């Protein structure tokens, strides 16, 4: 069983709740996020004392050198990646930012992960928007039909990871949750 987790995007809503669950289970966690939330109401892992050990590093996922240093120093068994440019409407205004982070940044991150000898599993938190507009339930085998720069950038990143899984054995698994909410959610997201 894995004991050491690196969580990229640890100060995102979902990432911070995942960090909390890991700490409650007594795991060691390295949180990496490009921004530090000013108000602890948005970081459930600081609401109460938790049994696990937590270390935080403020690093942008696009900064490969510092990410590499942090991961190689910590030596996680599992890396869980919540980090992404994720605002759909704004992706139309600055699509290059979304492609830079969600495709090129991911490509560089994976190069780091491939050299990480401790890595047992990489969990890529992505989006069902890669499937485009849908009605009802969908399956993972559905063809990608992204319809926004955000969704296109995530689909491209996912396809890159699929190729590495097939050709190089990258130990990746995907999750595509939608409309996640709960305690500490920023109001503009509800």
């Amino acid at each position: 069983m894995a004991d050491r987790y690196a969580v990229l995007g640890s100060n995102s809503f979902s990432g911070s709740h995942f960090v909390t669950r890991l700490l409650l289970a007594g795991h060691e966690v390295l949180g990496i996020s490009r921004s530090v939330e000013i108000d602890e109401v948005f970081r459930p892992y600081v609401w109460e004392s938790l049994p696990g050990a937590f270390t935080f590093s403020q690093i942008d996922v696009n900064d490969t050198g510092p990410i590499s240093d942090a991961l190689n120093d910590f030596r996680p068994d599992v890396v869980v990646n919540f980090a992404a440019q994720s605002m759909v409407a704004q992706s139309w205004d600055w699509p290059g930012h979304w492609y830079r982070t969600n495709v090129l940044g991911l490509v560089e991150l994976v190069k780091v992960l491939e050299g990480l000898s401790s890595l047992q599993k990489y969990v890529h938190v992505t989006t069902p928007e890669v499937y485009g507009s849908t009605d009802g339930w969908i399956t993972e085998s559905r063809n990608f039909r992204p319809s926004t720069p955000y969704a296109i950038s995530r689909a491209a990143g996912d396809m890159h990871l699929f190729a590495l899984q097939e050709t190089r054995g990258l130990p990746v698994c995907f999750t595509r949750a939608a409309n996640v909410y709960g305690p500490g959610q920023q109001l503009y997201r509800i």
Side-chain angles (χ1 to χ4, degrees):
M1 178 161 168
D3 291 318
R4 298 172 69 85
Y5 290 80
V7 179
L8 307 178
S10 62
N11 283 349
S12 67
F13 174 72
S14 296
S16 64
H17 282 270
F18 187 70
V19 165
T20 301
R21 300 298 290 176
L22 291 173
L23 293 173
L24 284 169
H27 297 290
E28 291 180 64
V29 180
L30 168 64
I32 297 175
S33 191
R34 71 178 171 193
S35 60
V36 177
E37 290 290 352
I38 296 169
D39 193 330
E40 65 184 48
V41 70
F42 299 118
R43 293 176 289 148
Y45 57 84
V46 300
W47 293 346
E48 58 183 282
S49 295
L50 300 172
F54 181 72
T55 305
F56 177 77
S57 292
Q58 183 179 2
I59 307 170
D60 188 312
V61 72
N62 292 305
D63 294 337
T64 307
I67 290 273
S68 178
D69 292 344
L71 292 176
N72 280 299
D73 288 346
F74 185 71
R75 303 189 47 72
D77 304 308
V78 179
V79 173
V80 182
N81 186 4
F82 290 90
Q85 287 286 110
S86 62
M87 300 297 287
V88 176
Q90 289 88 333
S91 74
W92 287 106
D93 297 330
W94 302 286
H97 294 280
W98 274 250
Y99 298 133
R100 186 175 307 112
T101 298
N102 298 343
V103 182
L104 299 177
L106 178 63
V107 167
E108 295 303 316
L109 170 65
V110 172
K111 286 181 188 176
V112 171
L113 297 179
E114 288 182 310
L116 194 60
S117 63
S118 63
L119 186 68
Q120 296 172 19
K121 181 66 69 180
Y122 170 61
V123 180
H124 187 67
V125 180
T126 182
T127 179
E129 292 197 35
V130 299
Y131 300 114
S133 297
T134 62
D135 289 326
W137 291 99
I138 56 174
T139 65
E140 287 185 54
S141 62
R142 182 184 174 114
N143 291 334
F144 285 1
R145 295 192 61 178
S147 58
T148 66
Y150 164 67
I152 293 166
S153 70
R154 297 310 301 265
D158 290 4
M159 292 172 68
H160 179 71
L161 292 171
F162 283 135
L164 290 173
Q165 184 180 46
E166 291 296 316
T167 62
R168 295 187 182 176
L170 182 71
V172 62
C173 64
F174 300 83
T175 178
R176 293 189 176 94
N179 301 323
V180 178
Y181 66 95
Q185 177 66 282
Q186 295 180 2
L187 293 179
Y188 75 93
R189 293 281 200 173
I190 296 177

